[in-house]
Amino acid sequence: MGKTVSDELRHEVLRANLRIPEAGLATLTWGNVSGVDRDAGVFVIKPSGVSYDVLGEEHLVVVALEDGRVVEGDLRPSTDTETHRSLYRAFPSIGGITHTHSTHAVAFAQACRSIPVLGTTHADTFNGPVPVTAALTAQQCAEDYEYNTGQVIVDLLGGDDARAREVPGALVAHHGPFTWGADATKSLEHAVVCEAVAEMALHTLALGTVVPPQHLLDRHFTRKHGPGAYYGNPGRV
Amino acid sequence: MGKTVSDELRHEVLRANLRIPEAGLATLTWGNVSGVDRDAGVFVIKPSGVSYDVLGEEHLVVVALEDGRVVEGDLRPSTDTETHRSLYRAFPSIGGITHTHSTHAVAFAQACRSIPVLGTTHADTFNGPVPVTAALTAQQCAEDYEYNTGQVIVDLLGGDDARAREVPGALVAHHGPFTWGADATKSLEHAVVCEAVAEMALHTLALGTVVPPQHLLDRHFTRKHGPGAYYGNPGRV
Amino acid sequence: MGKTVSDELRHEVLRANLRIPEAGLATLTWGNVSGVDRDAGVFVIKPSGVSYDVLGEEHLVVVALEDGRVVEGDLRPSTDTETHRSLYRAFPSIGGITHTHSTHAVAFAQACRSIPVLGTTHADTFNGPVPVTAALTAQQCAEDYEYNTGQVIVDLLGGDDARAREVPGALVAHHGPFTWGADATKSLEHAVVCEAVAEMALHTLALGTVVPPQHLLDRHFTRKHGPGAYYGNPGRV
Amino acid sequence: MGKTVSDELRHEVLRANLRIPEAGLATLTWGNVSGVDRDAGVFVIKPSGVSYDVLGEEHLVVVALEDGRVVEGDLRPSTDTETHRSLYRAFPSIGGITHTHSTHAVAFAQACRSIPVLGTTHADTFNGPVPVTAALTAQQCAEDYEYNTGQVIVDLLGGDDARAREVPGALVAHHGPFTWGADATKSLEHAVVCEAVAEMALHTLALGTVVPPQHLLDRHFTRKHGPGAYYGNPGRV
């Protein structure tokens, strides 16, 4: 069997996974990032239960988008693999997905509360609250549990790819955050922001919240996203 | 006197102890891990009050399960040694024990509250709340205090080894967490999870909790534990 | 075009920017520090969206105070550049400015609450609460948004340079902290203090606050600032 | 002028100061440790406002217990020097003193609340609450402010050396913690414990506190302190 994905994708997925512990979002082996190659019809994902200390490119697993078959790799993929596959199939613009059990985002998920938009830090990345799904039913848990975990996110967004681009993350009720983006790196960065705004929101709720004006939030989202964006130096550093 | 325990056990117990500060669970010299050799009738434990910076295998102390005698080692064992011995004697399936004063688990212990099951992060490891013991009586404090500290945990679980396997940890009231597992490494990892879910629970309680559906919790516990487990790549990385 | 700023200023601004992640105030590429050369009529600032890991002096951007033109540098300056320019123009004593999205200061900004003076830690640096601005209007957001972000701070202080010296920072409502000082280094240190006192204030509010006596606060501010200051060993280490 | 203090004392005081940032108790240059030589009638203390990054033994300042004169050293001593001197003079058993602005201990000081005894972590070190002083009066602030800061602690303890040994620390109202011990190292360790128990107490108060039985607290204090102590391996590692 020849190589199914480029060295670049493999390298990017490894790097994004290693940024989970670097960003303080990991406990033990928890968390995983994947990146997709739409043309090849596969995605690359972290193996299940492997310590970040020893994780190398050779441990990554390549999985078919079509049926979830392992196409390349010696190890079992992350138990969350089917959740990733479900999201890739529903949202064509997604190029990478990150799942963590980061502390404050999990707290909102466990409280079945969306992370509200309380300021520009949030609006810079998420054009609206980070929403929380319905709880999975007994039937959704009994069969294809992990695939259904993705489906409750798909249902939450009405399967709308445009919404997935505007708010690149969601909380699965009683569980934790999934974030996504144009590629694996972006999905990881959205996981970092999701945790940061969750922590800020928790503290803000303790102080008493004030609804920010929509024109301020819009300004922040549009200066970083869309045709009028003027943030950053993309491709130059 | 010949060597009483294998180099492997000694090495594992040292490694597990050193992971206490690495995981951010240590203040000063606080905390300790032990591992047992049931055939030899002894367990290996951290010495009392030694800094993690200088801790080496030569400092570890070997203690007899039968009577608590020091079988090997020049130093005094952890003051919590008798608590470990009490747990090893009551629960035959326990291979390792960890005790820490990690911040959020101690907060629950000090409030005499169990850590409630609020999501899948908890259910992945603990099949039920991390329970809190009764306070030790004046008599239990006056004599064999440390052994009795183990006994209040044994009493809490009704001496049931199966329960100890399902929920591998408990909070001693007004004191802090003890966790255990199949070996020293597992007991340490359960201490890490105990602190993580305590912190998540504290934040969730501030946001308002929602009882998670039992079918979701069951699914998570059983995908990592028991005959149907499919998490991880045990023995392969 | 010759070099517009001294190597010293460039070096100081780089160093101050790198202290943002070192002090734990950075998420991803967030935050920026600038330093001004009043004689040359320019200030040096971090480029937009560049990772601290790779940031070097060659990436810094030199901007004209007069009109915001980029005078030197290949990259786009921070999107917050116009906010810095607005503050430099309004307050002649400011030599450096820092902006972060540090967690607890942002929480106060999102709650539209000033950081109250609750003790000597605060009074050592800020001679009064760290005040919060009014929210920007729709018109202030629609045009020259970043310049207007500075203007709401200028308005908050009544354009009073003496007040800017006494309380070297402010919170922009729904956004986060801007701090300043005699130079870039001082502005960075004030950002560190702003976050520290915000965290202390949040915890103090949970415990119940007691208004500190003004004579104590005055004593602390004046022992570090002004003609009678006796703190530190300036210029000697 | 010959050397006034031993190399050992100088080295220990430097080491204890450097442990302030290592233990996460420092913001910028905040905090200081001193150690006393009763026979020589002097104590060694950190200089004022020097960064921990560059702090060396040559920067330490030697001060006379009698009158606060600088006996050795080129730099100004910590502004808190007179507070240390006041405590050394009042309590003959104190060999070292540490002052920090650690976050959670400051929160209790700012709320003018003692840190209550909520469990064994506290009782292992402090035989009672860490008490908070009265606020300094206008007159106490106007003259000899730093010496009077020590005096409010002395007054709080009724000048009782035995009490100072039982509870080796206090919170100065609206300010922060001072801790002490048999030597500089012990005083630093008590500062670490003071911050740890303050954080635990804050979280416990949020969960609802339960008064621990006195027999449990006594057991913990006496197993580490006094003639019956059996904790640790003193002098052996």
Side-chain angles (χ1 to χ4, degrees), chain A residues 71-103:
Chain A
V71 174
E72 199 179 327
D74 297 324
L75 300 172
R76 284 203 286 211
S78 164
T79 47
D80 301 308
T81 297
E82 284 291 283
T83 311
H84 290 236
R85 192 168 73 86
S86 167
L87 294 172
Y88 281 129
R89 287 169 61 93
F91 302 118
S93 70
I94 291 181
I97 296 170
T98 296
H99 173 49
T100 78
H101 282 227
S102 69
T103 306

Side-chain angles (χ1 to χ4, degrees), chain B residues 118-236:
Chain B
L118 296 175
T120 65
T121 316
H122 187 117
D124 277 335
T125 297
F126 300 104
N127 195 13
V130 179
V132 65
T133 69
L136 276 81
T137 64
Q139 195 181 325
Q140 285 172 319
C141 280
E143 207 173 326
D144 297 328
Y145 165 63
E146 286 82 8
Y147 197 85
N148 289 331
T149 299
Q151 283 308 112
V152 293
I153 297 176
V154 175
D155 293 346
L156 177 72
L157 305 188
D160 183 348
D161 193 55
R163 278 182 73 187
R165 279 197 304 274
E166 297 268 307
V167 179
L171 306 176
V172 174
H174 309 295
H175 188 156
F178 285 82
T179 55
W180 48 82
D183 52 33
T185 306
K186 277 292 172 199
S187 75
L188 178 281
E189 294 182 352
H190 295 159
V192 173
V193 177
C194 182
E195 174 62 11
V197 298
E199 183 176 4
M200 289 170 179
L202 191 84
H203 296 319
T204 307
L205 289 165
L207 292 169
T209 61
V210 181
V211 177
Q214 192 59 41
H215 55 258
L216 176 68
L217 305 175
D218 289 345
R219 179 79 199 199
H220 269 261
F221 189 74
T222 56
R223 77 178 190 168
K224 291 189 92 167
H225 306 275
Y230 54 93
Y231 180 90
N233 281 282
R236 306 201 46 198

